[in-house]
Amino acid sequence: MRKIILPVFLIIALILPLSILVAVAQTTGGLTWWESNYKNYYVASASTTTGGGAGAKLNNLYVYADSNYLYLAVDTNNTASWNVAYGFLLDVVPGGYNNTAISAQGVRDAWGRYITVNGTKYGVDYEIYFWYDQNSGITKAEICKWNASATISSSSNFWDYWIYTDVTSQRGSLYDYTATTGSSGTGLQVLWVAIPWSTLGISPPSSFYVLAVLTGGDNSGSVDSIPYDPTVTYGWSPSTTQVYNTMYQYSAPTPVPIPEPLTVTLLIAGVAAVFTFYTLRRKNH
């Protein structure tokens, strides 16, 4: 029995440090990591019945968070390059923008879109918006923070309710995307976002809500969203503000798994090393 237990103990002793090293190598770390791993964090899909046409169709939403970053991504089913906006609405702390935030222009979000959320369920604290130009790609990126100290009034402008931070120049650090532009282009295909919690000015929450939307230009509404909301009438020019009753709830992060092929390789290497050790030992005795 002692001869069996010792090799097993040695195998565990050998593999455990290697596993720890692999786990460290697989930890999250900003935009580059997210671009390589986002597909492991799929959370929801758009409806096949929504969308504004060939250049305005969302596909999947991906969400993850660690102690340092908030990670968001969408991919699309676009087959044409159109002028559209991509937005992420976030509910992370109490309060925020909702359907009671009436302004002189009506109920509009940070970019003046006729989009809001049901105030009995949600409050949008941040909106992260991107303007995609059909010929140039993303030409505007902005983090919009709800101004909790603003006075809600029908005589106020909707932009008085928000604090805007332009991050257009931070492609490659806060966001990135793939797209083909022009008359023969297929539009935006994937949009990745990796924002430090420190940039948002908050600590990582244990749970938060996300809504991804695709809209037109000024004074438009959403033609697509993830998750899909059956209570919303989608359209470029809605007759009334679209009030969302559905957002995706993200809860506590899960560890990044060690890829199975790598785990098996480590196991085989460990067994081989122990086997070699005992073979040589027997020969020397």
Side-chain angles (χ1 to χ4, degrees), residues 42-73:
Y42 160 86
V43 298
S45 296
S47 170
T48 57
T49 63
T50 56
K57 187 69 184 79
L58 294 175
N59 185 29
N60 297 316
L61 171 65
Y62 308 86
V63 181
Y64 185 65
D66 61 19
S67 59
N68 296 312
Y69 286 89
L70 166 65
Y71 300 97
L72 305 167

Side-chain angles (χ1 to χ4, degrees), residues 8 11 35 63 86 165 202 241:
V8 171
I11 291 174
E35 290 182 42
V63 181
Y86 295 88
T165 302
I202 57 175
T241 298

Side-chain angles (χ1 to χ4, degrees), residues 50-58 76-86 131-134 180 182 185-189 214-216 223-224 236:
T50 56
K57 187 69 184 79
L58 294 175
T76 74
N77 284 322
N78 292 338
T79 57
S81 188
W82 290 0
N83 293 326
V84 292
Y86 295 88
W131 177 251
Y132 176 85
D133 181 275
Q134 61 187 8
T180 54
T186 56
L188 185 142
Q189 297 299 302
L214 191 157
T215 80
V223 295
D224 212 351
W236 296 110

Side-chain angles (χ1 to χ4, degrees), residues 102-228:
I102 300 173
S103 69
Q105 295 80 23
V107 180
R108 299 204 206 179
D109 74 356
W111 268 25
R113 273 53 172 179
Y114 287 103
I115 299 170
T116 190
V117 295
N118 187 332
T120 64
K121 302 173 68 175
Y122 310 112
V124 177
D125 307 294
Y126 298 89
E127 293 190 341
I128 307 170
Y129 259 118
F130 302 86
W131 177 251
Y132 176 85
D133 181 275
Q134 61 187 8
N135 295 313
S136 306
I138 290 178
T139 56
K140 182 75 171 179
E142 207 162 40
I143 299 174
C144 313
K145 179 182 178 181
W146 176 252
N147 186 357
S149 63
T151 300
I152 304 300
S153 169
S154 58
S155 61
S156 299
N157 296 308
F158 69 82
W159 54 85
D160 295 329
Y161 300 157
W162 300 88
I163 300 169
Y164 297 86
T165 302
D166 191 320
V167 294
T168 310
S169 64
Q170 297 191 50
R171 180 183 182 184
S173 57
L174 290 186
Y175 75 95
D176 204 354
Y177 66 98
T178 59
T180 54
T181 59
S183 58
S184 60
T186 56
L188 185 142
Q189 297 299 302
V190 187
L191 171 60
W192 301 277
V193 179
I195 297 181
W197 291 110
S198 58
T199 297
L200 298 179
I202 57 175
S203 300
S206 59
S207 179
F208 56 88
Y209 295 91
V210 181
L211 173 67
V213 296
L214 191 157
T215 80
D218 295 340
N219 307 315
S220 67
S222 57
V223 295
D224 212 351
S225 73
I226 309 175
Y228 166 71

